[in-house]
Amino acid sequence: MTPTAETPLRPTRFLLGCGTVAGLLFPVLSFGQAFTRSGFDLRRHAVSSLTLGDLGWLQVAAFVGTGVLAVAFAVGLWRALRPGRAGTTVPVLVGVYGVAMVGGGIFVPDPGLGWPPGTPTGLPEQASTGSVLHTVCGAAAFLSLIAAGLLLARRFAGQGNRTWALYSAASAALAFVLTALPWSEGSASIRFAIGAVLISGWLVALSWRTRGDVADR
């Protein structure tokens, strides 16, 4: 590949690399806090509750930083995946995920279940507007990447890449089962944490895959 041909690809490769950082940033900051902040119990408290308390700004940064990086990744995907239906829709869905993550950092859940320390052990009788919007943003984030995974699975299958098709479909399906199907409320925090790891891992894998594909052109 000549330098003239390579130069326009550099911004695209950079944007695609943002997907790797986005996929690592949220679980690293989230679980780093979940296991070190006194009083936090992942079996009872949702990861998003880490936005509360004295160090809540760290989790807010995790949400917003991940969202901004995901939007940049979406722009890279737009450049790398087109043409085709998935090549247009998947970047939009990843962009929706990014915007939803930023919203999840701006709007935070209500204190409850003893978190932050000193909070009553029950749940508020009525959720605040910010808490409702946080829940909406969380649902949008999960559902957008689940849909993107299924669309890419179809694209990979059409290209004869069964391994990537299976990985994308399985990740999307398992994330849906964990986060969208009715389960016991007592297991919600663990299920959503596992779901976050799944979709974050898929983002990292997709980032590496598409960045490598662009480098080979």
Side-chain angles (χ1 to χ4, degrees):
M1 181 178 291
T2 65
T4 303
E6 184 178 0
T7 300
L9 297 180
R10 289 176 181 171
T12 300
R13 293 179 65 192
F14 172 80
L15 291 167
L16 292 172
C18 289
T20 297
V21 185
L24 293 174
L25 180 64
F26 189 79
V28 168
L29 280 180
S30 297
F31 289 101
Q33 293 183 80
F35 296 117
T36 57
R37 290 181 67 177
S38 177
F40 187 86
D41 186 350
L42 192 57
R43 295 169 297 181
R44 300 179 65 238
H45 304 134
V47 166
S48 58
S49 296
L50 289 166
T51 53
L52 306 172
D54 294 339
L55 294 176
W57 64 270
L58 283 171
Q59 192 65 12
V60 170
F63 272 103
V64 175
T66 298
V68 171
L69 288 164
V71 170
F73 181 42
V75 175
L77 289 174
W78 181 271
R79 294 184 177 193
L81 294 181
R82 290 183 301 164
R85 180 180 299 177
T88 301
T89 308
V90 168
V92 171
L93 290 169
V94 173
V96 170
Y97 166 79
V99 172
M101 289 296 282
V102 172
I106 295 174
F107 306 107
V108 300
D110 294 327
L113 299 176
W115 180 261
T119 299
T121 56
L123 291 171
E125 292 184 4
Q126 185 172 357
S128 67
T129 300
S131 183
V132 172
L133 290 174
H134 179 88
T135 300
V136 170
C137 288
F142 272 107
L143 291 175
S144 60
L145 284 199
I146 289 170
L150 293 175
L151 283 172
L152 273 184
R154 182 178 179 181
R155 178 185 175 106
F156 287 133
Q159 295 172 343
N161 195 327
R162 296 180 62 185
T163 300
W164 273 91
L166 180 61
Y167 171 59
S168 289
S171 296
L174 186 53
F176 180 82
V177 169
L178 288 170
T179 62
L181 295 185
W183 291 71
S184 167
E185 285 296 322
S187 64
S189 58
I190 294 292
R191 288 187 289 105
F192 276 83
I194 295 172
V197 171
L198 278 173
I199 62 173
S200 295
W202 181 79
L203 273 182
V204 172
L206 181 61
S207 170
W208 277 87
R209 163 73 191 235
T210 52
R211 197 169 187 272
D213 286 346
V214 167
D216 291 338
R217 291 178 183 175

